[in-house]
Amino acid sequence: MRRLALPLAGLVAGLWAFLPVYSGPELDVARRVEIADHVLPGVVVLAACGAAVALRLRDTMLLLAGMAVGLAGFWMTATHLPLVLQAKNGQARWGAAIYHTLPGLAVLVVGLVWILRPEPAEAAPERDQPG
Protein backbone atom coordinates (compact mmCIF):
# COMPACT_ATOMS: atom_id res chain seq x y z
CA MET A 1 0.00 0.00 0.00
CA ARG A 2 2.88 2.38 0.77
CA ARG A 3 4.04 2.15 -2.84
CA LEU A 4 0.62 3.38 -3.98
CA ALA A 5 0.31 6.29 -1.53
CA LEU A 6 2.10 8.88 -3.63
CA PRO A 7 0.50 7.90 -6.95
CA LEU A 8 -2.93 8.07 -5.28
CA ALA A 9 -2.06 11.48 -3.79
CA GLY A 10 -0.93 12.50 -7.27
CA LEU A 11 -4.28 11.47 -8.73
CA VAL A 12 -6.06 13.70 -6.21
CA ALA A 13 -3.69 16.61 -6.89
CA GLY A 14 -3.99 16.06 -10.65
CA LEU A 15 -7.78 16.25 -10.45
CA TRP A 16 -7.47 19.36 -8.28
CA ALA A 17 -5.28 20.91 -11.01
CA PHE A 18 -8.28 20.92 -13.38
CA LEU A 19 -10.62 22.76 -11.01
CA PRO A 20 -9.47 26.37 -11.50
CA VAL A 21 -10.25 26.20 -15.21
CA TYR A 22 -13.88 25.23 -14.62
CA SER A 23 -14.73 26.69 -11.22
CA GLY A 24 -13.83 29.34 -8.68
CA PRO A 25 -12.80 32.92 -9.22
CA GLU A 26 -11.94 33.73 -12.81
CA LEU A 27 -8.86 35.53 -14.04
CA ASP A 28 -8.61 37.87 -16.97
CA VAL A 29 -6.52 35.51 -19.12
CA ALA A 30 -7.07 33.72 -22.40
CA ARG A 31 -8.61 30.25 -22.28
CA ARG A 32 -5.50 28.79 -23.98
CA VAL A 33 -3.39 30.04 -21.08
CA GLU A 34 -5.63 28.23 -18.60
CA ILE A 35 -5.38 25.08 -20.72
CA ALA A 36 -1.57 25.30 -20.80
CA ASP A 37 -1.28 26.09 -17.08
CA HIS A 38 -3.84 23.65 -15.66
CA VAL A 39 -5.27 21.11 -18.09
CA LEU A 40 -2.13 19.90 -19.88
CA PRO A 41 -0.06 19.46 -16.70
CA GLY A 42 -3.10 17.87 -15.07
CA VAL A 43 -3.29 15.34 -17.90
CA VAL A 44 0.42 14.54 -17.44
CA VAL A 45 -0.08 14.03 -13.70
CA LEU A 46 -3.16 11.84 -14.16
CA ALA A 47 -1.42 9.76 -16.84
CA ALA A 48 1.74 9.24 -14.76
CA CYS A 49 -0.13 8.46 -11.55
CA GLY A 50 -2.72 6.33 -13.33
CA ALA A 51 0.04 4.28 -14.94
CA ALA A 52 1.82 3.89 -11.61
CA VAL A 53 -1.36 2.58 -9.98
CA ALA A 54 -2.80 0.52 -12.82
CA LEU A 55 0.43 -1.01 -14.08
CA ARG A 56 2.07 -1.32 -10.66
CA LEU A 57 5.18 0.39 -11.97
CA ARG A 58 8.41 -0.45 -10.22
CA ASP A 59 11.90 0.96 -9.84
CA THR A 60 12.99 3.11 -12.81
CA MET A 61 9.54 3.44 -14.36
CA LEU A 62 8.08 4.47 -11.00
CA LEU A 63 10.81 7.08 -10.63
CA LEU A 64 10.12 8.39 -14.15
CA ALA A 65 6.43 8.71 -13.31
CA GLY A 66 7.36 10.69 -10.20
CA MET A 67 9.63 12.91 -12.26
CA ALA A 68 6.78 13.62 -14.68
CA VAL A 69 4.59 14.63 -11.74
CA GLY A 70 7.37 16.83 -10.34
CA LEU A 71 7.93 18.50 -13.70
CA ALA A 72 4.21 19.17 -14.15
CA GLY A 73 4.10 20.66 -10.65
CA PHE A 74 7.12 22.83 -11.40
CA TRP A 75 5.46 24.07 -14.60
CA MET A 76 2.21 24.89 -12.83
CA THR A 77 3.99 26.66 -9.98
CA ALA A 78 6.36 28.63 -12.22
CA THR A 79 3.57 29.83 -14.50
CA HIS A 80 1.61 31.12 -11.50
CA LEU A 81 4.41 33.11 -9.87
CA PRO A 82 3.60 36.18 -12.01
CA LEU A 83 -0.01 35.90 -10.83
CA VAL A 84 1.11 35.96 -7.20
CA LEU A 85 3.25 39.03 -7.95
CA GLN A 86 0.26 40.70 -9.62
CA ALA A 87 -1.83 40.02 -6.52
CA LYS A 88 0.93 41.45 -4.35
CA ASN A 89 0.90 44.62 -6.45
CA GLY A 90 -2.89 44.90 -6.37
CA GLN A 91 -3.30 43.97 -10.04
CA ALA A 92 -5.13 40.68 -9.32
CA ARG A 93 -7.40 39.46 -6.56
CA TRP A 94 -5.68 37.42 -3.83
CA GLY A 95 -8.51 34.90 -3.70
CA ALA A 96 -8.18 34.11 -7.39
CA ALA A 97 -4.38 34.00 -7.17
CA ILE A 98 -4.46 31.53 -4.27
CA TYR A 99 -7.18 29.41 -5.89
CA HIS A 100 -5.20 29.11 -9.12
CA THR A 101 -1.77 28.62 -7.50
CA LEU A 102 -2.40 26.03 -4.76
CA PRO A 103 -3.07 23.02 -7.02
CA GLY A 104 0.30 23.47 -8.72
CA LEU A 105 2.05 23.64 -5.37
CA ALA A 106 0.29 20.45 -4.29
CA VAL A 107 1.39 18.67 -7.47
CA LEU A 108 4.94 19.95 -6.98
CA VAL A 109 5.09 18.71 -3.39
CA VAL A 110 3.78 15.27 -4.37
CA GLY A 111 6.33 15.09 -7.19
CA LEU A 112 9.24 16.17 -5.00
CA VAL A 113 8.36 13.75 -2.20
CA TRP A 114 7.93 11.00 -4.77
CA ILE A 115 11.33 11.69 -6.33
CA LEU A 116 13.28 12.29 -3.12
CA ARG A 117 11.84 9.70 -0.75
CA PRO A 118 13.83 6.54 -0.22
CA GLU A 119 12.21 3.55 -1.86
CA PRO A 120 11.21 0.89 0.66
CA ALA A 121 13.49 -2.13 0.42
CA GLU A 122 11.92 -5.28 -0.86
CA ALA A 123 11.66 -8.00 1.70
CA ALA A 124 14.52 -10.42 1.18
CA PRO A 125 13.52 -14.08 1.12
CA GLU A 126 14.49 -15.82 4.28
CA ARG A 127 17.12 -18.50 3.91
CA ASP A 128 16.95 -21.73 5.76
CA GLN A 129 19.61 -21.72 8.39
CA PRO A 130 21.05 -25.08 9.33
CA GLY A 131 20.01 -25.83 12.86
Side-chain angles (χ1 to χ4, degrees):
M1 181 63 185
R2 182 174 173 209
R3 186 178 290 274
L4 292 178
L6 286 169
L8 291 174
L11 285 173
V12 172
L15 289 172
W16 186 16
F18 283 96
L19 287 180
V21 177
Y22 304 107
S23 67
E26 293 185 17
L27 296 173
D28 188 23
V29 296
R31 187 68 158 178
R32 63 182 171 78
V33 172
E34 291 284 13
I35 299 295
D37 290 350
H38 289 279
V39 175
L40 294 178
V43 168
V44 169
V45 172
L46 293 178
C49 293
V53 171
L55 302 175
R56 305 247 182 215
L57 297 179
R58 301 178 67 74
D59 304 325
T60 303
M61 293 306 293
L62 189 63
L63 177 62
L64 289 175
M67 292 172 77
V69 172
L71 185 59
F74 176 76
W75 173 264
M76 292 172 68
T77 302
T79 59
H80 285 82
L81 286 178
L83 175 61
V84 172
L85 293 175
Q86 288 174 347
K88 180 180 177 266
N89 294 329
Q91 299 167 334
R93 295 184 322 267
W94 270 111
I98 291 169
Y99 188 78
H100 281 257
T101 304
L102 281 181
L105 288 172
V107 171
L108 179 62
V109 167
V110 169
L112 288 176
V113 170
W114 190 335
I115 294 166
L116 299 175
R117 74 176 171 94
E119 190 62 34
E122 296 294 324
E126 292 188 29
R127 296 181 181 165
D128 291 338
Q129 300 279 336

